[in-house]
Amino acid sequence: LGDFYASCMDLAGIERGGLAAADPHLAMAAAVKDGSSFSRAAGILATFGIWAPFSVSVEPDMQDATRTMLYLEQGGLSLPDRDVYVGREEHQVKVLAEYFNHVTRMFQLLGDEETAARRSATAVVRLETALAEATRRPDEMRDPRSLYHPTRREELAATMGSFDVNAYLAAAGFEGVSVVNVTNPALARAIGVAIGNARGDELSAYLRWHVLRRFAPFLPKAFADEAFRMRSILTGVPKRPERFRECLAIVVDNMSHAVGQSFVRATFGAEGKAKAKAMLGSLKEAMEKNLASLLWMDSATRERALAKLREVDGLIAYPDAWRSYDGLVVDRNSLLGNELRATRFDYERMRAKLGQPVDRADWFVPPTLVDAFYSAERNQMVFPAGILQPPLFDEGRSAAANFGAIGAIM
């Protein structure tokens, strides 16, 4: 933890390192000449958290929560709202223009001349706009059934046309996969069309941009500042956080369980975890009694509701078994080097889940997270130690006070 944090705080070292850690990935993107080489490069870059033109993940099967499957999900856009690309309202047009200028500036920071940088930015915006037209809005994705489209690999290859999905899956480490859940089939088709319509230099520019966008916060100040300038336009946040806060967030993002252990030792304990678990059990018992007496619920629905409730469990406070980081190399020499190794380490952990039974004890959120939620895919309540803190929860406080605070959220 200390080495990762120190590499982030070493601003002079980051300046001296320049683009050295990013260069191999930028060179890979620059070497793209056609749809086939684009697909292979995109698969390799995905193992380092560069999701273009989509993202992949290993998640529980929506129709069988005991097993995992590979998901192909929406991605490949840099702006948070697909409507900015396709909308015609004044603020949308303005943001898109700002984004074009931002991409141009970033390419110039890489050393591209202004004309070449603007040409590359044009290609990026054009390709992302083509993907945005087929990207679904958040409100269109609320029904889980609309996201479940198990597709055989051969069928997916035909659907995606000029995008070589077989080359991508092999490069991403999923060569043996036979079925993929495609959450947005229309986007899969649009990707194939967009790749087929783009020139090699446009495909290369798109991937170079996504490499640069992913790495910018870990690069010298000129890149990080320009990345934040665009973020400020999108979010309204006026200035970058203090450096120690940025570095803490980076370390938590990459080594959440290691940070979580230190956090739990300082703020929580086994007794607090036992009390929080007991609270959840008591609330389940109360809800079961309530379901049994509801007049408006017919017997068939009641039985299904009770069966689901009995299967609900929780990820409470922190894991019973902490995640190991054995094999992850961290040093004080390169922030981006640490980020790349940690991302690849986590990617391989995700990849290893495919074909295995769903591990219901697997903590997929940081124990330090100040949030709580219900995971419908896992039928689990998630209450990390980060939210089990005063004033919402205090193990030394009366049960009535805790039920009145965190209990209301449960």
Side-chain angles (χ1 to χ4, degrees), residues 76 80 109 115 136 143 151 153 158 179 227 244 249 279 305 363 369 397:
L109 288 174
T115 300
R136 299 174 69 188
D143 182 357
T151 307
R153 182 174 176 150
V179 177
F244 84 90
M279 285 180 65
W363 271 71
L369 182 68
R397 195 166 55 186

Side-chain angles (χ1 to χ4, degrees), residues 231-274:
R231 177 185 164 196
S232 181
I233 291 171
L234 295 171
T235 64
V237 176
K239 64 179 182 178
R240 289 179 65 177
E242 296 169 275
R243 185 63 183 177
F244 84 90
R245 295 186 186 279
E246 289 185 330
C247 293
L248 179 60
I250 288 171
V251 175
V252 170
D253 187 51
N254 284 287
M255 302 184 70
S256 62
H257 279 227
V259 176
Q261 290 184 63
S262 298
F263 177 78
V264 165
R265 281 196 296 268
T267 67
F268 214 72
E271 185 178 351
K273 178 172 180 171

Side-chain angles (χ1 to χ4, degrees), residues 106-291:
M106 291 290 263
F107 278 126
Q108 287 180 284
L109 288 174
L110 273 183
D112 293 6
E113 296 182 355
E114 183 178 359
T115 300
R118 292 181 67 84
R119 185 166 57 246
S120 292
T122 298
V124 170
V125 173
R126 181 184 299 127
L127 269 167
E128 291 191 354
T129 299
L131 302 187
E133 290 172 346
T135 297
R136 299 174 69 188
R137 297 181 181 87
D139 61 295
E140 297 173 329
M141 302 176 68
R142 290 174 181 166
D143 182 357
R145 291 170 295 187
S146 72
L147 307 177
Y148 192 67
H149 306 280
T151 307
R152 294 199 61 79
R153 182 174 176 150
E154 300 81 3
E155 182 184 347
L156 181 58
T159 297
M160 300 194 75
S162 295
F163 183 86
D164 189 342
V165 71
N166 291 314
Y168 177 94
L169 291 174
F174 293 109
E175 188 170 14
V177 170
S178 58
V179 177
V180 180
N181 182 42
V182 182
T183 60
N184 184 351
L187 179 59
R189 288 189 292 272
I191 289 171
V193 172
I195 300 306
N197 289 339
R199 301 189 310 269
D201 63 304
E202 293 175 323
L203 297 175
S204 175
Y206 173 79
L207 273 191
R208 284 179 73 219
W209 162 244
H210 277 272
V211 171
L212 184 55
R213 172 177 174 266
R214 167 73 173 86
F215 294 167
F218 313 99
L219 293 177
K221 187 175 185 298
F223 292 92
D225 281 350
E226 175 57 27
F228 182 80
R229 188 190 70 80
M230 188 65 213
R231 177 185 164 196
S232 181
I233 291 171
L234 295 171
T235 64
V237 176
K239 64 179 182 178
R240 289 179 65 177
E242 296 169 275
R243 185 63 183 177
F244 84 90
R245 295 186 186 279
E246 289 185 330
C247 293
L248 179 60
I250 288 171
V251 175
V252 170
D253 187 51
N254 284 287
M255 302 184 70
S256 62
H257 279 227
V259 176
Q261 290 184 63
S262 298
F263 177 78
V264 165
R265 281 196 296 268
T267 67
F268 214 72
E271 185 178 351
K273 178 172 180 171
K275 286 187 175 181
K277 289 182 71 172
M279 285 180 65
L280 180 59
S282 296
L283 289 168
K284 281 181 63 178
E285 291 176 7
M287 187 173 180
E288 185 168 353
K289 292 178 181 178
N290 185 48
L291 285 173

Side-chain angles (χ1 to χ4, degrees), residues 18-38:
L19 295 170
D23 278 339
H25 308 274
L26 290 167
M28 184 187 307
V32 165
K33 303 299 182 185
D34 52 29
S36 181
S37 57
F38 174 90

Side-chain angles (χ1 to χ4, degrees), residues 343-402:
T343 300
R344 184 62 183 264
F345 184 87
D346 200 50
Y347 181 89
E348 291 301 325
R349 181 178 175 277
M350 179 266 287
R351 195 169 67 87
K353 295 178 183 180
L354 188 63
Q356 301 299 316
V358 173
D359 180 4
R360 293 184 61 78
D362 178 37
W363 271 71
F364 55 98
V365 297
T368 55
L369 182 68
V370 186
D371 197 4
F373 59 93
Y374 169 71
S375 171
E377 294 84 2
R378 298 167 179 261
N379 195 26
Q380 285 182 319
M381 306 288 286
V382 182
F383 282 81
I387 199 171
L388 293 170
Q389 302 292 324
L392 292 176
F393 178 83
D394 187 336
E395 64 178 273
R397 195 166 55 186
S398 69
N402 282 331

